[in-house]
Amino acid sequence: MEPVIFEERKAQIQRKGAKGAEPFSISCNKNSLAGAVSQRACVFCGSRVVLYPIADALHLVHGPIGCAVYNWDIRGAMSSGPELHRLSFSTDLREKDVIFGGEKKLYQALLELIDLHKPNAAFVYSTCIVGIIGDDLKAVCKKVEAEKGIPVIPVQSEGFKGNKREGYLAACQAMFTLVGTGDTSAISPLSVNILGDFNLAGEIWIIQDYLRRMGVEVVANITGDGRVEEVRRAHGAALNLVQCSGATMDLAKMMQQKYGIPFKKVSYFGIEDMSDALYEVAKFFEDKDPEIMTRTRELVREELRDLYPKLQLLRKDLVGKKAAIYVGGAFKAFSLVKSFRHLGIDVVMVGSQTGTQEDYQELAEITDEGTIVVDDTNPLELSAFIKEKDVDIFVGGVKERPIAYKLGVGFCDHNHERKEALEGFLGMYNFAKEVHATVTSPVWNFTPRRRKSPIASPDVPACAATGRVS
Amino acid sequence: MKKAEPFVSTTNACKMCTPMGAALAFKGLEGCVPFLHGSQGCATYMRRYIISHFREPMDIASSSLGEKDAVYGGKANLMQGLLNVIGKYKAQAVGIATTCLTETIGDDVSMILHEFKKECLAGLNGDMPALVHVSTPSYGGSHMEGFHAAVRAMTGQLADPEAAKHDGVNLFSGFVSPEDIRHLQDIFAHFGLPMTILPDYSETLDGPALEDYQNIPGGGTPLDAVRAMSGARASIEFGRTIKPDLSAGEVLREKYGVTHHSLGLPIGLRESDALFTTLESLAGCAAPRRYALERGQLLDAMVDGHKYVAGKKAVVYGEEDLVVGITSFLSEIGVKPVLVASGGESGGLSEAIAAVTEEFPGEPPLVRDGVDFYQIVAEAEALEPDLVVGNSKGYRGLARARNIPLIRVGFPIHDRFGSQRVLHVGYRGALNLYDMIVNALIKKKQDDSPIGYGYI
Ligand code: SF4
Ligand code: SF4
């Protein structure tokens, strides 16, 4: 096989067990290599992903039009009420704004949009250009806030200042300015905030339902189906449940520091992680409510009673198949590895865009010998891995789908644009169904890597056209 | 023309940014990797957007500027990035488009490329790919300006001043679908007219299933064919609103004296007639019978279906040249375009719409350029349209909100299957559009009827 690994990227790819006794190490969180086609997004994208689902806020992108237009209503973050977040607002900077500065335009845009849409807060995202032309975002926001009487919060998300991770931090800092400004008087002692769930395909509602059945109040959804008022009173919750290693961890840490709210890292993907998450919550509140553990066990039992037979049915067809995983956050990769195990599928490649050294270490620990672990990869590498490992299913985002399909590999969309709920016990079933649907499709019998085309052999001269040519 | 609405902000833009158009155009050159000189995020965003439409891999490399580079200039990143792309992709060509960032910090890309060629030629064993570059700050226009600028740059920078004269015709077909490109190629072949179409992403963005992944998908306009464009006997360029300074046909005319025919996008009867008569005069013979037949079949369909569409009111939006073609066709079949809107601002939309609608009696459509979907929706309110024609992005605000059908054309189509295979051009494209329109109206009537006839 032709080597497709860029020399400079060698350290970002590791094979488990390949180096014998050497400790597993991978370098990551570097800026993407120039000229490689990275799947990685920018700071702004990170901030936008996190804050976007806050449905009653105005999200104004201060920059040229592209930065706003490519993420307009492409994510399935659902709201049970207002849907202001589904509109795409931009200052649409033009040449003269770039030359003379965009502050005035930003100011006017904020005034008109706030008057028109009456949001409960406004987030103003800065993009690369704004960082260069030096608009004073903070000053403009402050001025509008004073005039309009709603929080107007600058998000310092200039794209070039790093990758998505920095964007998550900027988003957390922005939200943190809201936390602590609301009334917390009526909040139950058994209460949590759900952090890092974006309510894709209504997932947060699944989790909320479990918590409700356990007797736990959810104070703030951060940010799926989110509301400004909820974020303001989030400091009244007894516990923060943080999903996904990256996106909202910073906010949890800030809240711990300032308000002493402990947090737990959880994942809602897959059977173990979902149950563990609920048990953790039950354990945490056990001293306040001794019955909660019993209720939780009953809940999990009930859900599993329903789920198991259905999974077994699907598993029959999946045992021994091989999976490759490439997702945004490494935390999700952990859950996926475990979920595939339930389905009898071996994970032969796993990677993420934003994992840390520890994440990759942990991934290496839970996967089998020979599994490829990779940080911030590109299509060339992905396709080489898929071929080398003869993968049956690839889990990734929308950018990976065409690569998998081109090579005749099944695919499951596990990124922010997914339209199927994959969280919770219900989500595990949906996931299994999706995996089953793609892996067992008859089309793989016919794709070129499995069956050669019977026509148009290159060894035989092609026929020349005649007849109805004119 | 833009409504006097005093909005300074844009809500739900009806356009994309300039470099994206350039990247799409570069994708139609054989062996070419589109390369954005700027920060990483832009390339990733655009790739995702394009992939969702074509369902094909779409690699766009980026020089991935970081904060330091934004301050000190992106030269090192651009050079390193080019080396990497050339090395790993074995690219025959790299299409470099600037972004807002690098335009604002003022990187002089031609100079950097000049240096690159000097410094790195030896390192590449004398194998320097064609480097085409285009300046595309997004604040200077929409994706269509980027598209045309890239086509013009490929033509202007690659066409060989010494090219031998030949009988071929250059075709600059604009931002059409892969299916459109294939149909145009067939038409020329049936006329016996050798042609070079630029860009040709009919295969690069609608490729076959593969056994081995190709770093650069097969297909695309061959580089040598582009080099020979300066020797062609004529050029044809589609797009009534393309300004001369963005026209590839104009470049060839000015620099090499190649006769230039500027036509509208051949959508509908009359705009297709214009194409076929031009081809007849270039070929010096009558159109092959199959096209006479297709034209006749189109007319026959227009007659058979005219009552289904009579008097229906349509809102049309999207790229300027596309909406001109669609509006022209709708007017021909008896659908009344009441509002024609675009996020583009070429300045030529009103005039082009007037030209294709003037022969029909009644109020001309409202024409709005430089607008966003918020304005289009507001404007459509009082017009009570029966159908909407445009890309996916008007679905929620225009079609769903009013419970009227959306006929999906152009780009992006993110909520239907087979976007790459929508045929818009020629008589056959018109027939395809006609079937879609009539069937959508019939379906609407059927769905709304309490009786549920299976015979309409
Ligand atoms: S910065 Fe410019 S090039 Fe990049 S996405 Fe935004 S508008 Fe497009
Ligand atoms: S310009 Fe900057 S902020 Fe906008 S998409 Fe590109 S990298 Fe992201």
Side-chain angles (χ1 to χ4, degrees):
Chain A
M1 193 186 63
E2 196 192 338
V4 295
I5 314 297
F6 288 4
E7 211 38 57
E8 295 86 333
R9 279 195 32 81
K10 279 219 167 113
Q12 279 166 282
I13 301 153
Q14 294 287 320
R15 279 156 204 271
K16 191 187 167 191
K19 288 192 180 171
E22 261 182 63
F24 188 88
S25 119
I26 191 166
S27 72
C28 49
N29 214 7
K30 331 203 286 186
N31 273 342
S32 293
L33 178 65
V37 177
S38 171
Q39 314 283 70
R40 215 173 236 184
C42 64
V43 181
F44 161 68
C45 179
S47 296
R48 182 89 174 103
V49 162
V50 173
L51 295 174
Y52 164 78
I54 301 180
D56 58 346
L58 179 86
H59 299 271
L60 175 61
V61 182
H62 186 35
I65 197 64
C67 314
V69 85
Y70 301 121
N71 50 52
W72 168 31
D73 208 22
I74 53 163
R75 294 156 53 84
M78 293 170 73
S79 165
S80 55
E83 292 200 307
L84 192 51
H85 67 305
R86 292 185 60 193
L87 302 184
S88 159
F89 301 110
S90 165
T91 48
D92 196 352
L93 291 182
R94 303 300 175 86
E95 192 139 19
K96 68 171 190 325
D97 308 313
V98 171
I99 297 166
F100 300 111
E103 288 177 21
K104 225 176 109 205
K105 195 169 191 187
L106 173 61
Y107 172 71
Q108 283 168 350
L110 275 169
L111 292 189
E112 73 183 14
L113 290 171
I114 291 171
D115 285 345
L116 191 62
H117 297 287
K118 315 253 174 314
N120 292 328
F123 292 101
V124 183
Y125 304 76
S126 62
T127 56
C128 291
I129 292 300
V130 173
I132 296 296
I133 62 179
D135 281 359
D136 189 345
L137 216 61
K138 278 197 188 125
V140 177
C141 289
K142 220 164 134 193
K143 188 164 161 208
V144 177
E145 181 165 302
E147 278 174 45
K148 291 290 164 189
I150 58 162
V152 179
I153 305 159
V155 186
Q156 300 291 345
S157 54
E158 292 84 348
F160 55 69
K161 287 195 170 157
N163 59 35
K164 260 183 171 174
R165 244 167 207 289
E166 283 80 13
Y168 297 155
L169 176 62
C172 288
Q173 282 163 341
M175 280 190 285
F176 195 58
T177 63
L178 283 176
V179 175
T181 58
D183 172 26
T184 59
S185 49
I187 294 175
S188 154
L190 270 63
S191 57
V192 298
N193 298 315
I194 302 179
L195 268 65
D197 189 306
F198 306 121
N199 201 29
L200 306 173
E203 287 173 336
I204 212 168
W205 297 325
I206 298 174
I207 308 305
Q208 277 180 332
D209 173 62
Y210 297 154
L211 291 167
R212 191 165 351 147
R213 281 153 69 188
M214 288 163 60
V216 175
E217 177 183 342
V218 176
V219 180
N221 294 331
I222 296 175
T223 53
D225 197 12
R227 300 290 181 277
V228 173
E229 192 48 41
E230 288 179 0
V231 181
R232 290 174 152 226
R233 57 203 288 270
H235 59 298
L239 175 67
N240 278 332
L241 296 178
V242 192
Q243 195 189 214
C244 177
S245 55
T248 49
M249 185 48 85
D250 296 309
L251 181 64
K253 286 185 180 153
M254 292 174 208
M255 286 172 75
Q256 183 186 42
Q257 226 170 43
K258 182 153 177 198
Y259 301 103
I261 304 174
F263 65 84
K264 293 206 178 299
K265 267 174 129 181
V266 291
S267 161
Y268 309 129
F269 294 111
I271 297 170
E272 291 88 353
D273 289 0
M274 185 65 241
S275 323
D276 284 351
L278 298 181
Y279 288 140
E280 286 261 4
V281 174
K283 210 156 48 190
F284 183 84
F285 289 119
E286 226 174 357
D287 55 335
K288 291 183 193 146
D289 179 352
E291 297 297 302
I292 189 169
M293 192 51 101
T294 321
R295 285 198 303 275
T296 307
R297 284 213 184 89
E298 185 43 41
L299 184 157
V300 172
R301 213 171 297 133
E302 215 175 282
E303 293 288 332
L304 289 184
R305 218 172 9 235
D306 181 49
L307 174 65
Y308 252 119
K310 292 198 257 174
L311 278 191
Q312 291 316 311
L313 228 53
L314 297 171
R315 187 188 149 103
K316 279 202 324 267
D317 302 325
L318 301 176
V319 174
K321 302 284 184 190
K322 283 173 274 178
I325 299 170
Y326 185 70
V327 285
F331 213 56
K332 196 188 285 167
F334 298 136
S335 298
L336 281 166
V337 171
K338 290 183 219 164
S339 296
F340 274 125
R341 203 160 282 156
H342 276 287
L343 300 175
I345 293 178
D346 305 324
V347 174
V348 293
M349 187 213 106
V350 57
S352 85
Q353 287 172 45
T354 55
T356 61
Q357 174 70 41
E358 302 86 71
D359 292 334
Y360 291 117
Q361 181 69 43
E362 216 175 315
L363 276 175
E365 272 157 30
I366 62 167
T367 50
D368 298 331
E369 287 291 290
T371 298
I372 296 170
V373 182
V374 58
D375 174 56
D376 185 28
T377 184
N378 56 62
L380 276 178
E381 289 173 2
L382 283 177
S383 63
F385 297 145
I386 289 175
K387 230 194 143 193
E388 179 194 328
K389 295 286 186 184
D390 192 26
V391 169
D392 294 292
I393 175 163
F394 192 98
V395 187
V398 67
K399 293 188 295 299
E400 290 80 31
R401 184 176 56 206
I403 303 170
Y405 282 177
K406 218 13 95 193
L407 294 167
V409 178
F411 186 82
C412 171
D413 187 351
H414 211 289
N415 233 319
H416 294 303
E417 282 140 64
R418 66 174 177 268
K419 302 291 186 286
E420 277 291 326
L422 297 179
E423 290 182 1
F425 301 104
L426 174 67
M428 179 66 203
Y429 180 52
N430 288 340
F431 176 69
K433 272 197 302 191
E434 203 180 328
V435 170
H436 187 272
T438 181
V439 169
T440 62
S441 167
V443 299
W444 315 127
N445 295 357
F446 310 111
T447 51
R449 75 173 174 142
R450 298 265 162 84
R451 189 184 297 193
K452 298 263 174 287
S453 164
I455 70 156
S457 157
D459 311 327
V460 182
C463 303
T466 168
R468 203 183 82 110
V469 284
S470 61
Chain B
M1 205 176 5
K2 184 166 175 169
K3 208 173 152 208
E5 201 85 64
F7 285 124
V8 298
S9 57
T10 293
T11 302
N12 302 343
C14 184
K15 63 178 175 186
M16 287 137 266
C17 72
T18 330
M20 197 199 74
L24 279 165
F26 286 138
K27 193 73 183 170
L29 182 64
E30 189 179 39
C32 180
V33 178
F35 187 113
L36 293 194
H37 183 35
S39 20
Q40 176 64 50
C42 313
T44 300
Y45 264 142
M46 288 173 213
R47 289 181 59 213
R48 189 173 58 193
Y49 208 75
I50 294 168
I51 287 170
S52 303
H53 174 90
F54 291 99
R55 298 172 197 263
E56 286 286 332
M58 173 74 189
D59 287 4
I60 303 177
S62 160
S63 52
S64 287
L65 299 199
E67 196 167 9
K68 273 202 324 288
D69 316 307
V71 177
Y72 298 112
K75 181 175 153 190
N77 276 55
L78 177 54
M79 288 176 118
Q80 182 62 45
L82 282 173
L83 272 180
N84 282 335
V85 164
I86 295 165
K88 273 303 147 182
Y89 280 81
K90 311 263 180 303
Q92 293 173 37
V94 184
I96 302 136
T98 54
T99 61
C100 307
L101 178 64
T102 44
E103 285 291 333
T104 308
I105 63 179
D107 272 359
D108 185 343
V109 173
S110 353
M111 212 170 71
I112 299 175
L113 292 183
H114 189 73
E115 272 180 54
F116 178 81
K117 284 180 196 159
K118 261 204 333 238
E119 281 175 30
C120 302
L121 188 63
L124 294 165
N125 303 323
D127 231 1
M128 181 62 66
L131 302 178
V132 179
H133 87 272
V134 59
S135 160
T136 41
S138 112
Y139 42 79
S142 73
H143 59 298
M144 283 319 295
E145 275 75 26
F147 187 96
H148 293 312
V151 175
R152 182 178 161 105
M154 286 187 273
T155 313
Q157 292 169 35
L158 296 176
D160 180 358
E162 322 274 70
K165 293 271 174 257
H166 60 88
D167 260 354
V169 176
N170 306 319
L171 177 61
F172 304 108
S173 49
F175 188 19
V176 295
S177 76
E179 188 71 14
D180 289 330
I181 295 176
R182 289 186 285 263
H183 186 47
L184 290 164
Q185 285 166 328
D186 285 348
I187 293 174
F188 276 72
H190 293 140
F191 267 89
L193 274 173
M195 62 99 90
T196 297
I197 192 166
L198 183 74
D200 176 6
Y201 41 80
S202 63
E203 207 178 313
T204 57
L205 288 176
D206 192 10
L210 293 175
E211 183 172 3
D212 287 300
Y213 190 78
Q214 294 170 322
N215 302 340
I216 303 177
T221 316
L223 270 168
D224 282 338
V226 182
R227 293 198 177 104
M229 279 183 149
S230 36
R233 59 190 282 215
S235 304
I236 299 176
E237 185 169 52
F238 298 153
R240 284 176 179 259
T241 69
I242 303 177
K243 284 187 279 197
D245 63 344
L246 285 174
S247 157
E250 279 300 319
V251 157
L252 293 177
R253 195 183 59 79
E254 280 162 21
K255 281 171 96 170
Y256 310 109
V258 181
T259 319
H260 176 45
H261 303 269
S262 170
L263 304 175
L265 259 182
I267 294 177
L269 185 71
R270 293 167 301 159
E271 298 285 76
S272 296
D273 281 346
L275 171 63
F276 280 90
T277 47
T278 305
L279 294 182
E280 285 192 337
S281 72
L282 284 171
C285 49
R289 181 170 176 271
R290 58 163 60 203
Y291 295 107
L293 202 56
E294 277 182 9
R295 187 179 190 279
Q297 285 156 339
L298 170 62
L299 278 172
D300 191 54
M302 285 165 63
V303 171
D304 289 345
H306 75 280
K307 283 193 188 160
Y308 293 114
V309 299
K312 299 290 184 198
K313 291 185 282 183
V315 170
V316 186
Y317 59 84
E319 291 97 11
E320 290 169 277
D321 287 324
L322 178 73
V323 299
V324 172
I326 297 287
T327 302
S328 173
F329 181 50
L330 292 178
S331 311
E332 291 163 356
I333 62 175
V335 170
K336 179 137 193 47
V338 284
L339 171 61
V340 178
S342 178
E345 288 175 283
S346 72
L349 185 61
S350 274
E351 198 185 314
I353 291 292
V356 298
T357 55
E358 66 191 355
E359 78 171 82
F360 306 101
E363 282 276 293
L366 282 173
V367 180
R368 300 282 182 248
D369 66 355
V371 289
D372 58 30
F373 277 106
Y374 195 82
Q375 291 162 294
I376 299 174
V377 169
E379 192 99 58
E381 194 65 22
L383 299 169
E384 301 189 336
D386 301 294
L387 76 155
V388 189
V389 188
N391 57 49
S392 290
K393 299 300 161 180
Y395 168 67
R396 183 168 171 236
L398 287 165
R400 186 185 169 96
R402 315 192 62 86
N403 188 26
I404 54 177
L406 166 62
I407 312 299
R408 287 166 178 80
V409 295
F411 176 94
I413 300 176
H414 283 165
D415 59 349
R416 279 297 182 276
F417 193 74
S419 326
Q420 29 347 10
R421 291 180 290 273
V422 175
L423 182 65
H424 309 80
V425 302
Y427 303 122
R428 186 127 47 93
L431 258 174
N432 176 46
L433 295 175
Y434 193 73
D435 290 346
M436 289 202 296
I437 291 168
V438 174
N439 283 330
L441 289 169
I442 290 178
K443 178 178 187 311
K444 165 82 177 139
K445 195 169 171 190
Q446 199 171 32
D447 289 351
D448 290 351
S449 145
I451 304 169
Y453 288 117
Y455 181 90
I456 287 190

